[in-house]
Amino acid sequence: GKNEYDLLVIGGGSGGLACAKEAAQFGRKVAVLDYVEPSPQGTKWGLGGTCVNVGCIPKKLMHQAALLGSALKDAQHYGWNIAQPVHHTWSVMAQAVQNYVKSLNWGHRVQLQDKKVKYFNMQGSFSDPHTIRGLTKAGKETVVTAENIVIATGGRPKYPTHVAGALEYGITSDDLFWLKESPRKTLTPFVFNVSLECAGFLTGIGLDTTVMMRSIPLRGFDQQMASLVTEHMECYGTKFLKRCFPTKVEKLESNRLQVTWKNTDLGTEETDCFDTVMWAVGRAPDVKTLNLDAVGVKTNSETGKIIVDASEATSVPHIYAIGDITEGRPELTPTAIAAGKLLARRLFGQSSELMDYDNVPTTVFTPLEYGCVGLSEEAAVQCYGSDNIEVYHAYYKPLEFTVAERDATQCYIKMVCLQEREQRILGLHFIGPNAGEVIQGFALGIKCGATYSQLMKTVGIHPTCAEEITKLHITKRSGLDATVTGC
């Protein structure tokens, strides 16, 4: 028996859709299975995966809403007469964001149709290495066979099930962006980047917001930068409960949530009431319904993620995995898209090019944004030794902050270089406005092996924040004051 499809993709997120559409360009018969299991709170959404529905897109739009709030305060210093106090209406913002997301859901369906990719709104599980059993929401079964199968089901937020009441009364980022009414006073325990990003825009639109963290913020990122990000958020109005962890959540008769936590520094137990508790304790791979054991696809027993090689191949021939579901890969939309396209080209386009996961740029969209590419200072020291790296740094003030009299204490740039003649750039870290836009451009140079001496020959664009990178000249080793003065 000939298989029905040349390629079947399980998961209609960024990586899966990119892989399917690219394969279709080669004239292959392609299908996509996508099914969204409602969150424990009943939230569900359409085609497009985490990024489109409950990740990057709604997050950036709500971050923009908060930035506009800050701009309204600045505007008065620039001569704009704005009646005070200004007021934000959650439902108006939420409806606009949700409408845009729904338009993207529809757009993905149209694109699949245009490229003749068959779309199944079904939950898929393996029957054998070439056969998938699809189940609709109503329980109707469809069997699909394919020569090649790509798993791209991504992950879903975890709940701290050891905390009493966490599942019953808490939400996650899967729910926050689809709330019709304001979450009001909010607690977000644990500090992954989504926790800080959400806390940042909630504070920015005027809500009482608290972050609870047991240990370090932004694990995996440069810790000096992470500390500056959280310092700025504290100045911005976000409250932090440091070295604390929650033990239970109880619902009161008033419908408010009483949270109990332990303060490890003081050894005390404390409580407070919130309207919303949003958990941000990391993400778990969405593998439970795939029936991977039946076909022998190996996973990491600790993380549950699928083990793949450099070509995204799993332990079973003709079965591949891409994106957040895979072990050791960055959980980022653009890497999933690039990996998906390259996989399709290797399968059907006579390509041999592999995905390169080195020097992938990213940005944390906190109120003061943090963008980075390459190694953190800690990772560089670990790889090369502290004597073999040189760190250039600067505290700077964006020109637009001056008239508005905004504090720029945490606006900071750090460049980590190899301590040799040309000084190859190992990592670049930037905290300030539009960090993503700044780092995206420099990422190309660093991907191409840029050196400090080449950067010093690059003429800056005046007066911009990005220009400050081209003027870095003070090293940490020197102990000199790294504050930029004047032009």
Side-chain angles (χ1 to χ4, degrees):
K2 187 176 180 298
N3 290 311
E4 194 179 349
Y5 292 95
D6 297 306
L7 178 69
L8 173 65
V9 177
I10 309 173
S14 305
L17 291 174
C19 185
K21 289 187 284 188
E22 190 71 16
Q25 304 279 68
F26 294 103
R28 298 302 180 126
K29 198 173 179 191
V30 182
V32 170
L33 257 80
D34 185 63
Y35 182 83
V36 179
E37 183 73 42
S39 76
Q41 304 307 327
T43 310
K44 54 186 185 294
W45 51 85
L47 184 65
T50 297
C51 171
V52 164
N53 294 283
V54 288
C56 326
I57 299 298
K59 171 192 74 184
K60 180 82 185 288
L61 291 172
M62 291 188 179
H63 170 61
Q64 174 64 13
L67 292 182
L68 288 171
S70 297
L72 287 173
K73 292 175 190 167
D74 290 356
Q76 296 166 88
H77 294 275
Y78 283 93
W80 289 96
N81 295 314
I82 295 167
Q84 295 295 325
V86 292
H87 176 69
H88 181 268
T89 306
W90 175 278
S91 58
V92 173
M93 173 190 72
Q95 190 64 62
V97 170
Q98 290 159 17
N99 287 346
Y100 178 63
V101 168
K102 285 173 186 171
S103 77
L104 294 178
N105 297 150
W106 178 249
H108 282 307
R109 292 189 71 156
V110 170
Q111 283 176 32
L112 291 181
Q113 199 169 3
D114 288 347
K115 290 180 165 53
K116 297 181 171 54
V117 175
K118 176 70 176 170
Y119 165 57
F120 295 99
N121 184 204
M122 295 178 182
Q123 194 170 66
S125 63
F126 280 93
S127 298
D128 69 47
H130 290 283
T131 308
I132 295 294
R133 176 173 168 265
L135 268 182
T136 66
K137 185 182 175 184
K140 185 187 172 189
E141 183 179 317
T142 301
V143 175
V144 185
T145 62
E147 189 61 37
N148 300 282
I149 297 174
V150 174
I151 305 166
T153 49
R156 297 291 291 268
K158 291 192 280 194
Y159 271 86
T161 49
H162 63 282
V163 177
L167 190 62
E168 294 89 334
Y169 308 125
I171 66 168
T172 68
S173 54
D174 274 2
D175 308 293
L176 180 70
F177 302 113
W178 290 92
L179 293 178
K180 288 187 166 52
E181 299 300 327
S182 169
R184 294 178 292 169
K185 183 179 177 183
T186 303
L187 173 71
T188 174
F190 302 96
V191 191
F192 285 80
N193 51 342
V194 69
S195 170
L196 288 186
E197 289 171 327
C198 292
F201 71 67
L202 291 175
T203 303
I205 60 174
L207 301 182
D208 183 334
T209 311
T210 304
V211 173
M212 182 184 291
M213 57 185 195
R214 185 168 190 168
S215 55
I216 61 171
L218 297 177
R219 190 178 299 280
F221 288 87
D222 187 286
Q223 282 303 292
Q224 182 191 5
M225 309 306 282
S227 294
L228 287 168
V229 165
T230 52
E231 275 174 33
H232 177 267
M233 286 183 68
E234 285 189 273
C235 299
Y236 187 67
T238 305
K239 298 166 188 167
F240 281 82
L241 292 167
K242 295 174 183 174
R243 296 186 57 76
C244 295
F245 65 92
T247 53
K248 64 180 173 182
V249 182
E250 299 164 288
K251 194 163 196 173
L252 304 176
E253 284 183 16
S254 63
N255 277 336
R256 299 198 81 203
L257 302 175
Q258 182 173 285
V259 182
T260 305
W261 66 88
K262 284 194 174 155
N263 183 319
T264 56
D265 275 345
L266 303 175
T268 54
E269 188 172 85
E270 298 165 22
T271 63
D272 196 1
C273 291
F274 301 88
D275 297 296
T276 302
V277 176
M278 190 198 92
W279 302 107
V281 298
R283 298 176 69 82
D286 199 1
V287 293
K288 60 184 181 297
T289 60
L290 291 172
N291 199 23
L292 297 179
D293 291 344
V295 287
V297 172
K298 288 197 172 80
T299 59
N300 180 313
S301 58
E302 287 182 27
T303 63
K305 292 193 173 191
I306 295 171
I307 296 164
V308 291
D309 66 12
S311 67
E312 324 299 346
T314 70
S315 54
V316 179
H318 313 296
I319 299 178
Y320 303 86
I322 56 170
D324 293 5
I325 194 81
T326 52
E327 182 62 38
R329 305 291 197 232
E331 294 186 3
L332 297 169
T333 295
T335 52
I337 291 170
K341 286 181 178 178
L342 289 169
L343 174 57
R345 289 170 197 165
R346 289 194 302 275
L347 289 173
F348 306 116
Q350 286 84 49
S351 171
S352 59
E353 186 183 352
L354 298 173
M355 176 63 189
D356 180 0
Y357 291 97
D358 286 336
N359 290 324
V360 171
T362 190
T363 291
V364 182
F365 290 99
T366 36
L368 199 57
E369 297 170 12
Y370 165 34
C372 59
V373 59
L375 298 181
S376 65
E377 185 176 351
E378 294 94 338
V381 168
Q382 197 173 359
C383 287
Y384 299 99
S386 55
D387 291 342
N388 296 315
I389 65 162
E390 192 75 272
V391 177
Y392 294 90
H393 67 150
Y395 288 93
Y396 69 100
K397 186 157 193 168
L399 181 64
E400 54 270 38
F401 281 24
T402 54
V403 168
E405 297 173 7
R406 278 174 69 177
D407 179 41
T409 308
Q410 290 86 23
C411 290
Y412 179 67
I413 302 163
K414 173 161 73 173
M415 187 163 64
V416 184
C417 300
L418 262 183
Q419 175 79 294
E420 32 92 272
R421 195 166 58 86
E422 292 294 312
Q423 295 190 306
R424 182 164 61 86
I425 302 168
L426 300 172
L428 179 62
H429 303 264
F430 177 97
I431 292 178
N434 307 300
E437 312 297 343
V438 171
I439 286 293
Q440 182 68 79
F442 285 102
L444 169 63
I446 291 169
K447 191 76 178 168
C448 295
T451 63
Y452 175 73
S453 57
Q454 288 171 329
L455 187 74
M456 289 303 98
K457 294 173 187 170
T458 303
V459 177
I461 299 169
H462 192 62
T464 63
C465 296
E467 173 194 24
E468 300 301 336
I469 296 174
T470 69
K471 302 194 300 190
L472 290 171
H473 65 283
I474 293 171
T475 66
K476 272 193 174 183
R477 200 187 303 274
S478 72
L480 297 172
D481 181 8
T483 306
V484 174
T485 54
C487 287

